[in-house]
Amino acid sequence: SKDDEAHDEL
Amino acid sequence: MNIFRLAGDMTHLISVLVLLLKIYATKSCSGISLKTQELYAMVFLARYLDLFSDFISLYNTVMKLVFIGSSLAIVWCMRYHRVVRRSYDRELDTFRYWILVGACFTLALVLHEKFSFQEVFWAFSIYLEAVAILPQLVLLQRSGNVDNLTGQYVFFLGAYRAFYILNWIYRYLTEPRFTRWISCVSGLVQTALYADFFYYYFISWKNNAKLQLPA
């Protein structure tokens, strides 16, 4: 899903 | 978000604030490597290309803006601020970092999570950050005694990625499909590069002496 691809860490 | 990652982000923020304090309070950037600051500006610009496309959270967006803004402001200050620029150790800060930039970008073209513009630049930023401290460590060795704020700046900058390693272990143990090999391996290399600095920093703290890195 999308959130898997987006890098959620800085 | 977990406590390790929050501690890491806060430690990273502290390192930026300590550097800004040093430059603003002493109106001097002696002992600071402009090359490392420029590498970090590249790291943030390459990593946060998704700033406007992927909204994760207000915290995430604000921190990205803070890191991009502060790194560019510090580079501007060290290059163009009338007073600050005079204290830049130009003749000591001679690390030829384009070799690092080229190598990291080449590696990112080969090793990435997905072959897209954004992902290649993201991987590039991860590899580049791992080695971005090298010019600063070289400068510290050449410039002999290190003032307290500079030493604290480097210490917090190194400590933040160590917290991220704990964060990755925690996420690996708690999230079923968590694998971030690129970040993890680079983070380990990055933290390892600080090993000798941490050692001498600890010694100077224990002996309550000035931080001295062997030439």
Side-chain angles (χ1 to χ4, degrees), chain B residues 183-206:
Chain B
S183 301
C184 292
V185 173
S186 291
L188 284 167
V189 169
Q190 179 170 338
T191 307
L193 288 176
Y194 284 82
D196 68 334
F197 172 83
F198 284 145
Y199 170 72
Y200 291 110
Y201 193 79
F202 172 71
I203 296 291
S204 80
W205 171 77
K206 198 159 68 77

Side-chain angles (χ1 to χ4, degrees), chain A residues 2 4 6-10, chain B residues 5 119 167-168 171 177:
Chain A
K2 181 71 188 134
D4 287 355
H7 295 289
D8 61 349
E9 296 183 344
L10 289 173
Chain B
R5 182 142 64 96
E119 281 302 316
N167 152 66
W168 290 319
R171 292 189 75 176
R177 290 179 304 105

Side-chain angles (χ1 to χ4, degrees), chain B residues 19-34 37 73-90:
Chain B
L19 181 54
L20 286 170
L21 173 70
K22 173 207 163 55
I23 292 178
Y24 181 75
T26 66
K27 283 288 183 284
S28 154
C29 63
S30 66
I32 302 297
S33 163
L34 173 60
Q37 299 311 313
I74 288 164
V75 167
W76 180 87
C77 227
M78 291 183 71
R79 276 183 171 272
Y80 306 114
H81 186 287
R82 241 174 335 93
V83 179
V84 173
R85 65 195 293 259
R86 282 207 293 263
S87 54
Y88 169 47
D89 306 323
R90 189 178 311 279

Side-chain angles (χ1 to χ4, degrees), chain B residues 23 36 82-83 105 113 119 141 155 163 166 209:
Chain B
I23 292 178
T36 285
R82 241 174 335 93
V83 179
F105 194 77
E113 284 181 3
E119 281 302 316
Q141 282 181 333
F155 172 77
F163 279 119
L166 298 179

Side-chain angles (χ1 to χ4, degrees), chain B residues 135-190:
Chain B
Q136 178 63 63
L137 293 177
V138 168
L139 180 60
L140 290 185
Q141 282 181 333
R142 290 179 178 171
S143 57
N145 71 322
V146 179
D147 70 75
N148 289 343
L149 285 173
T150 303
Q152 283 155 7
Y153 160 67
V154 176
F155 172 77
F156 286 119
L157 191 56
Y160 112 83
R161 215 62 180 167
F163 279 119
Y164 256 76
I165 292 170
L166 298 179
N167 152 66
W168 290 319
I169 294 170
Y170 176 83
R171 292 189 75 176
Y172 181 78
L173 295 175
T174 56
E175 293 174 26
R177 290 179 304 105
F178 181 79
T179 52
R180 297 280 174 87
W181 298 119
I182 288 178
S183 301
C184 292
V185 173
S186 291
L188 284 167
V189 169
Q190 179 170 338

